[in-house]
Amino acid sequence: MMNHFLIRLLFLLCFNLTPLGIALAQVPASSPEDAPKKANARPAEATAPEPFDGASVAKMAGQYVTLETEAGSIEIDMLPEVAPESVRNFLNLAATRALDTTTFSRTVKDFVIQGGNLATSEKWGLDLAKRMSRKIPDEPSDVKHVRGIVSMARPDEPNSATTHFFILVGDGHHLDGKFAAFGRVTKGMEIADAINHAAAEGEKPEKPVKINRAVVAPCKR
């Protein structure tokens, strides 16, 4: 009788262990949302808004930019009706002083002068590096790449323009419909010519001309 009782007790104990094992197996793995939050976790960095973010085409069309260079001033009217994001980008670069102390680091004789390389700035650091990594969409248009046009420079990869721009001192029709023409020089082409004709080794100026200051102002008309 005692043996029968012990066998029955052992059977019940074994039976009760099985449901426990199943219950443990059915507990779902914790999700990332359930993980405890670190008290010192760093929040994701948001991109700081810039002055012309959200500006209308009409507002941007009413602005012009003066590049006050070591060689003299170049005034540029904007063409936001054909390249709104390129214009917004350029106005923001000027308004936030990102272009100040940068240089025209590339020249191709009788063709272009190229600026907008923020790495040439006397203020180069993490903030400018982050700004220069921000890409904008391609905006090719019917605007012809002729002398005086200002356009976005970029590598061969589509939608890879950042802060680099060029001013044409000669015609470049092979660029038509491929690059984003966003501005037109209205005053100071002789300054662009002087920068273009300065001594250079290949396409690298021996003494790159500095943009002391870039200024955004309402159009005079």
Side-chain angles (χ1 to χ4, degrees):
M1 186 72 177
M2 183 62 70
N3 289 338
H4 179 72
F5 176 78
L6 289 174
I7 291 170
R8 181 178 176 81
L9 180 61
L10 288 170
F11 176 80
L12 289 172
L13 287 172
C14 290
F15 182 82
N16 287 336
L17 282 174
T18 304
L20 179 61
I22 294 173
L24 288 173
Q26 290 176 339
V27 173
S30 60
S31 65
E33 290 79 7
D34 297 328
K37 301 294 190 294
K38 292 183 179 179
N40 61 346
R42 182 178 298 176
E45 292 185 15
T47 302
E50 294 182 324
F52 288 90
D53 287 354
S56 66
V57 166
K59 179 177 180 179
M60 293 190 292
Q63 312 295 317
Y64 76 103
V65 174
T66 301
L67 302 178
E68 299 177 356
T69 82
E70 293 175 317
S73 294
I74 301 172
E75 294 183 5
I76 305 169
D77 275 0
M78 300 290 102
L79 303 173
E81 63 278 5
V82 295
E85 295 311 312
S86 298
V87 168
R88 189 185 319 281
N89 182 58
F90 191 71
L91 289 174
N92 279 332
L93 288 170
T96 59
R97 312 294 295 273
L99 294 176
D100 292 7
T101 75
T102 61
T103 68
F104 285 98
S105 56
R106 177 175 178 254
T107 59
V108 181
K109 288 294 182 284
D110 300 316
F111 180 41
V112 299
I113 61 174
Q114 185 169 314
N117 182 355
L118 304 189
T120 65
S121 171
E122 295 172 4
K123 304 177 294 180
W124 175 250
L126 183 60
D127 288 343
L128 289 182
K130 287 180 179 178
R131 184 59 178 84
M132 198 165 70
S133 68
R134 194 182 309 171
K135 297 180 180 181
I136 60 174
D138 292 338
E139 295 180 304
S141 69
D142 293 334
V143 175
K144 302 301 181 185
H145 282 76
V146 296
R147 175 176 165 84
I149 285 294
V150 187
S151 191
M152 291 302 299
R154 62 166 175 81
D156 291 334
E157 180 186 350
N159 303 310
S160 58
T162 57
T163 62
H164 299 253
F165 66 91
F166 59 88
I167 300 174
L168 284 150
V169 297
D171 293 348
H173 293 298
H174 60 289
L175 306 176
D176 293 347
K178 299 176 183 177
F179 289 78
F182 68 87
R184 181 181 286 111
V185 174
T186 56
K187 186 178 180 181
M189 275 306 298
E190 72 280 5
I191 305 302
D193 287 333
I195 295 171
N196 181 258
H197 291 138
E201 184 177 341
E203 297 180 356
K204 184 178 180 181
E206 291 182 4
K207 189 178 184 301
V209 172
K210 181 168 63 178
I211 298 172
N212 292 322
R213 188 170 69 140
V215 181
V216 181
C219 291
K220 300 171 185 176
R221 58 179 181 275

